[in-house]
Structures are given as structure tokens and as C-alpha cells.
Amino acid sequence: MANRPEGLLPVSTYVGYGAGQIGGQILRDTPALILPIYMTTVLGLEAALAGLVIMIAKVWVVIADPSAGIVSDKSQSRWGRRRPFILLGGLVAAVTFVLLFFAPDLQSQLMLFIYMTAIYLILNTGYSMFSVPYLTLASEMSEDPNERTTIISFRSAALAIGLIIGGALAPKIVAWVTQEMGGTPREGYEWMAMIVGSVIAGSTLWVFFGTAK
């Protein structure tokens, strides 16, 4: 490590950048995988309304993604033009991910629909603020094509970790709390949200500080 050629980024920077994809992949896949089940079976939201929640949030991404790119392109700060958005967007998404699964016990279908739609919209806004600058940052970290390939390879490795946590571990946490610990389904999803949300927040902080140089 001490004798790496000049011009190459530190390995810690590769790892720091790649770590961001762990949280990004969770945010991309986990709500799509388990949110419909949670809304219909735990919250009791009608299936049509649950589908509408997801559709509205996904349509909003069409606006939020290019907006995040335009704003970060034009911004300047002591931390660079991408990293402040990565930090803010990732933390907003982490908090709202938790709030998705801590829905209040609302008896009204309309109020429940409004709550879930609002929180999911904020989550996707945070995700856009995080993901668009994050993906762009890789091309700005080095002018060397080989270095860029190395940077992306670390992101690809972290993607697999995010898939395991968001796609396999998250449902396992719900099942473990309900079946092994005797908790209710609502408690299972709450524990899952706190654990996975912490991973998202940790991933965000890691990429922010890991790419500081």
C-alpha cells in the first residue's frame, strides 16, 4: 500500500466511495420488496390505495432525479458540489425509511394513504438527492479511465452487500422478531426499519467522510 504509484487514489477512498452503494441499494430495493406487503397486511390499507402510494412516489422520481442533478451541477461548497447533497439526501432517506414502518395507527384509509404517500415522497426525494450526485461523483474523482474502473468496481461489490441486506436480511429480521421473539408483525417491521435505517445512515456517513480527500 505504501508503494502504490503516484496518481492513484488511496484504497480507503475506493472503499469509502463504494460503501455508499450499500445504503443506496437498500433504498432502491427494500421498499419495493416489502412495502406493499406491509401496507396491506399490517396497516390494512386497501390494495388499490397501496399501489397508488407506490405509483405516485415512482412518478415523482422522474422529476426529482434530473432536479437533483441540475442543482448539484450548479452548487459550490467547501465540501465540493456533490458531497453535501449525498450527506443530506442519504440522511433524509434514512430517517424517512424508518418513518415508513412506524406509521401511526390511523383508522381512516384516506389519512393512512396521505401519510404513506407523503413519507414515501420525501424518502424518494432524499434518495434522488443522494443517488444522482453519488453516481456522478465517481466520474469526477479521477481523470484516469483505469482509476474510474477501479472506483466503480468497489461500488459494484458494495451493491451485492446492499442486495443481501435489503433483499434477504430485512425480511429475515421481520420473521425473527415475529416468530422467534414473539413480537407482533408491526413490531417486526419497526425493528427491521431501525436496523436497516441505521445501515443506510452509516453508509451515507461513510461515503461522505470516505471521499473527503
Side-chain angles (χ1 to χ4, degrees):
M1 293 297 183
N3 297 317
R4 301 182 78 235
E6 291 186 6
L8 298 186
L9 294 170
V11 175
S12 60
T13 302
Y14 298 147
V15 177
Y17 177 77
Q21 187 61 36
I22 298 174
Q25 200 65 33
I26 293 170
L27 289 167
R28 180 180 179 274
D29 293 339
T30 306
L33 177 66
I34 64 179
L35 187 59
I37 300 172
Y38 170 75
M39 287 192 291
T40 55
T41 63
V42 177
L43 300 183
L45 188 64
E46 294 179 5
L49 291 177
L52 189 57
V53 169
I54 294 172
M55 185 183 74
I56 292 172
K58 294 301 182 183
V59 169
W60 169 244
V61 172
V62 177
I63 300 171
D65 274 3
S67 298
I70 292 170
V71 173
S72 66
D73 281 345
K74 296 181 177 180
S75 70
Q76 295 293 335
S77 79
R78 57 181 292 191
W79 300 289
R81 59 179 179 172
R82 309 296 180 189
R83 292 174 58 247
F85 291 94
I86 291 172
L87 178 64
L88 178 61
L91 293 181
V92 167
V95 171
T96 47
F97 179 89
V98 175
L99 292 177
L100 268 184
F101 299 97
F102 273 81
D105 188 13
L106 300 171
Q107 300 301 316
S108 168
Q109 288 280 307
L110 177 60
M111 294 304 297
L112 187 56
F113 167 76
I114 292 173
Y115 175 87
M116 296 302 294
T117 301
I119 296 299
Y120 203 16
L121 281 173
I122 299 172
L123 185 151
N124 278 354
T125 302
Y127 177 61
S128 293
M129 289 174 60
F130 169 87
S131 65
V132 175
Y134 171 70
L135 295 173
T136 306
L137 181 62
S139 65
E140 299 176 345
M141 292 172 65
S142 175
E143 296 180 355
D144 185 344
N146 293 325
E147 274 290 83
R148 292 180 178 181
T149 300
T150 302
I151 294 167
I152 295 300
S153 71
F154 276 79
R155 182 172 71 83
S156 299
L159 184 151
I161 298 173
L163 280 173
I164 292 171
I165 296 173
L169 182 60
K172 290 291 185 182
I173 294 172
V174 177
W176 179 73
V177 172
T178 55
Q179 298 174 11
E180 302 297 329
M181 302 299 293
T184 65
R186 181 182 285 268
E187 290 172 337
Y189 281 99
E190 289 174 350
W191 274 102
M192 179 278 300
M194 289 188 291
I195 294 171
V196 176
S198 297
V199 174
I200 297 169
S203 170
T204 299
L205 293 172
W206 195 349
V207 67
F208 178 78
F209 291 106
T211 58
K213 298 182 180 181

